[in-house]
Amino acid sequence: MIRRTRIAVLAVAATLAAAPVHPGLASAAPGFTKQTLNFAVFIGPDDNVACNIVGDLYLPDGASATSRVPAVLTTSGFAKSKNDLVDTAEPLVREGYAVLAYSPLGFGGSGCKVTMDDPDFDGKAASQLVSFLGGAPGIAFRDNAYREPFPPLDVVARDNTAVDGIVHANDPRVGMIGSSYGGQVQFAAAALDPRIDAIVPMITWNDQSYSLAPNSAGPATGVSTTIPGAMKLTWAAGLGVLGAINPGPAGYAEEPSRALGCPNLPAELCTMISAGIAGYPSATDIGYLRNNSVTTYIDKIRAPVLLVQGQKDSLFDLNEARATYDALKRQGTEVKMIWQSWGHSDTVPAPGEYSAVDPRNNYENSRILDWFDHHLKDDAVSTGPEFAYFRDWVSYAGNAYPAYASASDPDVGVPRSFHLSGAGLTTQADAAAPGLQTFATGPAGLPTSSRPPDPLSRIALPDISIPGTFARWTGSPQTAPMDVVGAPKLDIVLSTDRPPNGSLDDSLVVFAKLYDIAPNGAADLIGDLVAPARIVDPSKPIAITMPAIVHRFDTGHRLALDIAGGDLNYRGGLVSYRVSVESGPGQVLTLPVVAPS
């Protein structure tokens, strides 16, 4: 275990005691200044790949060598830029933090190809920006035609930090924050750089092979499985297109080499997308994705982590955050977790949840500011509950605090079993009636439903499956609200019209889905979440862990379970099967149910 000892709160050199506020910054708004800079970084396994990074440096008024402030480093999501970080940076700088907001490699004016948050590339780039915040010379240049050197930064609070007995002089007091692609890079940087004091990764992945090709049937360590799952067609295709077009003509003109091979993206990513669309990712593809995932190097994460994940996120679901949380907890890394309302499937936060306007009166902003104030300013402020989750059924005005429930542990629900009974669901095992439902999987893995594409899930399109391609079990109307918080689990036994030969090419792929059926018959796919299961041997009992949800089945609503042979957003199995599922007490759906409050 890495031991961190803070030796000095501020290390201010006597020679800088009379230094003025940092020079050369153009005024942006009352309370802070902002200037665009370029940074020369050297990355790669051998530190021999030169890249230019563009970023905006925000400094609060009054920050100087004699009045130092802590710093926060932030970068954007995939295919975005520093310009998308204004609402992240301004609330922080107004709270007295220096902020460096930068465009990630390959996007927003930064050079080189995208490297998918690879620690050897994106992680090392972030680490060198930490060095800039600590006053390292020769890294920053003014954003002008002359690329004038920018003087070493002298306004960030510094510690002399001992890590396992090794003292890191001029260690800047620095945290990181960012969402999605800008979330994972924090892990990549913190794994390499012990100078990072606290991180806030939001809506990001644990294992990118699960994110893009999940197999909910396991067996799994966290979310990682030994058998590849079903490719997320619409998300994978969007990833490739966005990655290729976002440098724009100017970016390709400046670095024509970025257009070669897989445009602006690593060749491994194009190979993986092609293989997944054709069938399933190979072991090499999965290895590449996992190399760029915190699950591979989580034992190196020692900075305190405030983990934030979205309940409406079909790209990086709640199970990924839970896997990261559990691993950090086991190894003794300080970690807390928030499940927010919004994510990649719905990017609009609930009122009073997350906003650059009056951040202290928004639940998530105040939790984040308290996290940084505690770890970067040494303020004696609480960092909040161990676990909190948003309940969209709770009415409130203003701050979203009343809609958040908190707990000392993420396992807040009590397991409640729903046995498959005929075409229904019952909580009484001895009342489960026999029955048989049969459906067909799509030919050549083609979709058998018409629901909206996942990246466009807010578009109102009907969610319809072709008759004969799914089986459904529907519960009775709720006599009282039922609140579910956590990952549903499904234990079933399937039979097929012929035995598979044991190969991945011949494997069976099915999709488990949970619906909330309103009294008027309208069926809502909860969270737009699907649990694909690739099954090599369907003759054995199958345990499916579905994506975690936070959902209230209100009075009069009914729970429904579908097992389908295809889904618009996924690549199904390469061969078509007729699949049968028998009802009975051994076929059970288990939900983690929380007592209503």
Side-chain angles (χ1 to χ4, degrees):
M1 178 179 291
I2 295 177
R3 296 184 298 105
R4 298 176 60 88
T5 304
R6 186 163 282 161
I7 296 173
V9 174
L10 295 179
V12 182
T15 55
L16 298 178
V21 174
H22 205 277
L25 297 175
S27 177
F32 67 92
T33 54
K34 173 183 174 183
Q35 179 165 319
T36 299
L37 300 174
N38 287 276
F39 301 90
V41 300
F42 292 87
I43 56 178
D46 299 319
D47 302 323
N48 60 353
V49 179
C51 292
N52 178 74
I53 287 178
V54 62
D56 289 333
L57 178 64
Y58 298 74
L59 293 180
D61 288 352
S64 71
T66 57
S67 182
R68 293 177 179 266
V69 297
V72 176
L73 182 65
T74 182
T75 190
S76 67
F78 190 83
K80 295 190 176 184
S81 77
K82 65 181 181 62
N83 298 332
D84 298 292
L85 295 167
V86 173
D87 285 350
T88 299
E90 288 195 0
L92 287 165
V93 72
R94 293 186 188 281
E95 289 284 332
Y97 291 93
V99 180
L100 178 54
Y102 71 97
S103 298
L105 297 173
F107 295 126
S110 289
C112 293
K113 278 192 172 189
V114 173
T115 57
M116 300 308 295
D117 283 339
D118 186 324
D120 275 336
F121 291 84
D122 299 276
K124 286 185 175 180
S127 178
Q128 288 168 68
L129 298 182
V130 171
S131 295
F132 164 76
L133 293 170
I139 295 176
F141 300 85
R142 298 186 189 279
D143 189 37
N144 57 31
Y146 307 103
R147 284 184 64 88
E148 299 171 89
F150 191 76
L153 197 63
D154 54 9
V155 302
V156 174
R158 298 177 188 173
D159 299 310
N160 287 333
T161 301
V163 181
D164 284 343
I166 301 173
V167 176
H168 294 261
N170 296 328
D171 174 357
R173 189 76 67 86
V174 61
M176 292 187 72
I177 188 173
S179 297
S180 191
Y181 196 69
Q184 189 69 198
V185 72
Q186 297 172 61
F187 291 124
L192 296 171
D193 196 332
R195 298 173 300 171
I196 296 171
D197 298 290
I199 62 176
V200 185
M202 304 177 70
I203 56 173
T204 195
W205 65 89
N206 169 268
D207 178 351
Q208 203 170 54
S209 73
Y210 170 87
S211 310
L212 295 178
N215 183 9
S216 300
T221 301
V223 294
S224 304
T225 58
T226 55
I227 298 172
M231 190 73 174
K232 291 181 181 176
L233 290 176
T234 49
W235 278 121
L239 187 74
V241 171
L242 283 175
I245 67 175
N246 266 271
Y252 281 125
E254 187 173 335
E255 290 184 78
S257 62
R258 289 164 68 177
L260 299 177
C262 182
N264 200 46
L265 297 170
E268 296 91 340
L269 187 65
C270 282
T271 300
M272 182 278 302
I273 293 174
S274 299
I277 290 174
Y280 51 85
S282 69
T284 301
D285 299 330
I286 291 172
Y288 171 74
L289 295 174
R290 285 186 183 158
N291 179 68
N292 301 331
S293 301
V294 66
T295 188
T296 300
Y297 51 82
I298 200 161
D299 60 318
K300 298 178 181 178
I301 306 298
R302 298 299 173 185
V305 181
L306 179 60
L307 195 59
V308 185
Q309 203 77 347
Q311 294 167 192
K312 296 176 183 176
D313 201 322
S314 58
L315 180 56
F316 306 134
D317 64 35
L318 296 174
N319 290 5
E320 299 221 52
R322 181 61 194 270
T324 302
Y325 173 90
D326 287 345
L328 291 171
K329 201 74 176 173
R330 282 193 300 269
Q331 70 188 28
T333 300
E334 182 181 350
V335 58
K336 293 186 176 182
M337 184 164 63
I338 299 172
W339 287 359
Q340 64 188 18
S341 73
W342 55 282
H344 289 84
S345 301
D346 186 349
T347 59
V348 180
E353 193 178 19
Y354 189 85
S355 172
V357 179
D358 196 13
R360 287 289 184 183
N361 284 319
N362 286 273
Y363 178 81
E364 286 186 84
N365 297 85
S366 62
R367 288 287 308 271
I368 291 165
L369 289 170
D370 286 347
W371 188 258
F372 284 144
D373 287 352
H374 180 85
H375 291 290
L376 303 182
K377 292 182 177 179
D378 289 335
D379 285 356
V381 60
S382 170
T383 57
E386 184 79 11
F387 174 57
Y389 58 94
F390 182 84
R391 299 165 296 175
D392 64 2
W393 56 88
V394 173
S395 298
Y396 65 92
N399 194 313
Y401 174 83
Y404 272 89
S406 60
S408 59
D409 186 277
D411 290 319
V412 296
V414 176
R416 183 178 297 179
S417 297
F418 294 83
H419 302 271
L420 279 58
S421 176
L425 296 167
T426 178
T427 57
Q428 305 298 319
D430 56 4
L436 183 70
Q437 293 197 54
T438 300
F439 62 92
T441 64
L446 294 176
T448 60
S449 66
S450 64
R451 70 186 185 90
D454 276 338
L456 305 173
S457 59
R458 298 191 73 198
I459 295 176
L461 291 175
D463 185 346
I464 301 173
S465 293
I466 299 171
T469 66
F470 69 101
R472 173 169 289 186
W473 295 264
T474 305
S476 301
Q478 291 292 129
T479 57
M482 180 176 67
D483 298 344
V484 179
V485 180
K489 299 182 186 298
L490 178 62
D491 293 287
I492 55 172
V493 176
L494 305 175
S495 60
T496 54
D497 55 347
R498 64 174 181 81
N501 64 20
S503 72
L504 289 176
D505 286 342
D506 203 45
S507 56
L508 169 68
V509 178
V510 296
F511 302 87
K513 312 176 186 182
L514 287 184
Y515 289 86
D516 182 325
I517 300 182
N520 64 2
D524 175 34
L525 178 63
I526 299 171
D528 294 313
L529 298 170
V530 175
R534 183 177 297 277
I535 304 161
V536 176
D537 185 357
S539 68
K540 296 179 179 178
I542 299 159
I544 295 174
T545 299
M546 304 181 74
I549 59 174
V550 177
H551 184 78
R552 166 168 282 188
F553 293 89
D554 217 337
T555 302
H557 288 235
R558 293 177 294 159
L559 161 70
L561 166 69
D562 278 17
I563 303 176
D567 186 272
L568 176 70
N569 288 289
Y570 291 83
R571 181 69 161 88
L574 298 177
V575 295
S576 182
Y577 284 94
R578 289 196 63 77
V579 183
S580 297
V581 186
E582 287 193 34
S583 297
Q587 310 276 68
V588 60
L589 170 68
T590 304
L591 302 181
V593 177
V594 178
S597 59

